[in-house]
Structure formats: C-alpha cells, structure tokens
Amino acid sequence: MSHKCFLLSMILIVAASSANADIRLSYNEISIGYAVHPISEDGVPDLTGGGLSGTWSPVDRLFFAAGYERFGLHTSQALGAVDLTATAKTLTVGTWFALRENLHLTLEVGGDYETIEVSAEGITESDNDFAANGIVGLRYLIGKRVELSAQLQRLQDIQGNGESRWVYITSASLALTDHLDLGGYFSRESGENTYILGARWRF
C-alpha cells in the first residue's frame, strides 16, 4: 500500500505540472514544525515533539540540507513512570533537475543519526543508530502559492545488523507571503506514520 500511495503521488504531480509557474522553486529555506507520531499500544500516549530543517544552495543545482527532530512521551503505569525520548539528525547534499520550470527532480545523499532513550524506575537505557541516507523526490509548484512534493528515502544501517529501511514522504505547502509558507508533512516508515504541521521561511 505504501508503494502504491507514493507512486500515485508521483504520477499526480507529473500529470498536474502542465501549468506554468510564476516563481521558481527555492532551495534556500528554513522550516519549523510540530510533530505527532501515533502509538498503537493501548494506554500509551502518542509521541509528540518538533522538527527543524533547512536547505541552502550556494550555487546553481547544488544544495545542502540538514534536519533535526525530537519526540518524547511520559506515561505513568502500574510499575511507575516511563519517559521516552527519540531524536533524529540528518545531513545531505543534493542536486536538482528542472524537468519543467515548475517541476524539479531532486537527488540527495548523506547520513542519518538516530537515538532513543528510555527511563523507568531510575534505570535508563539508550540506543543509537547511524545510517547512510539516499533520497529521490519530485517538487511541483502550482502558480505562486501551492507546492506539492513526494520523496522516496532509503536508509541503510551502518551500525547494528545492517538492515535497510524505506521511508515514503509527501508534503504540501501554501504561501502566505512572498517568503512565508504554512504546510503539512506526512511520512511512513515500517508501517508507522508521522505527521508534521509547520511553517517555512524562504530566503
């Protein structure tokens, strides 16, 4: 189902891109958002937190991207309080190809570092993982105000058992001014979803 949803997003973006854009897609921007990661376990609250990300393009068709996400939960059960904190840090370098003025194909490579820490009854355990990160995506600009995107991300663990993971990402944003956007972000990894609602500043 995730593969089908991602392919459908890609097809819709390409099919809709026949309209001409009035402004260019930007690779100089910073975003901040509120995130929710639903938990399916009964009695366990959802993971909530925030994210900060940005891209910078020093020259044409080259950009650097960085991101930071932090989630946490606190629950009180019969055995006592449990605190969980999870973080993810990403750094990539990428390029883009203008299929049309308002439709870009993007390619990125880099790294992803994730940590998780659980505390209960005075005992704290933690784990971390580093993965190679590859991303292919499409960005489509509708007129001056709406941007749609879809990405397919591959994470290849370097530490631990060396397993690989796929992440499917879609997003949409609406320009409120020449520089400020509001938007939503959805990702799916290993059957679990993450939702982010936030703002983006383009410079």
Side-chain angles (χ1 to χ4, degrees), residues 54 64-68 89-93 108-113 130-131 133:
F64 298 92
Y68 174 78
K89 303 172 185 177
T90 60
L91 182 64
T92 61
V93 59
E108 298 175 58
V109 293
D112 178 275
Y113 181 72
F130 180 75
N133 186 5

Side-chain angles (χ1 to χ4, degrees), residues 145-147 172-177 180-184 200 202:
R145 295 197 173 272
V146 178
E147 180 184 334
S173 63
L174 174 67
L176 302 182
T177 72
L180 179 63
D181 303 344
L182 289 182
R200 177 175 65 179
R202 290 174 280 107

Side-chain angles (χ1 to χ4, degrees), residues 127-131 154-165 190:
D127 191 20
N128 60 75
D129 181 56
F130 180 75
R154 168 85 170 200
L155 295 170
Q156 179 64 53
D157 289 348
I158 296 176
Q159 298 176 333
N161 56 16
E163 66 181 7
S164 61
R165 294 168 286 154
S190 303

Side-chain angles (χ1 to χ4, degrees), residues 52-98:
L52 178 67
S53 63
T55 61
W56 172 60
S57 176
V59 296
D60 188 42
R61 290 185 57 185
L62 173 69
F63 67 91
F64 298 92
Y68 174 78
E69 294 180 359
R70 180 183 176 91
F71 295 89
L73 68 80
H74 173 83
T75 181
S76 182
Q77 299 177 344
L79 296 178
V82 176
D83 290 284
L84 184 149
T85 302
T87 65
K89 303 172 185 177
T90 60
L91 182 64
T92 61
V93 59
T95 187
W96 72 87
F97 302 92

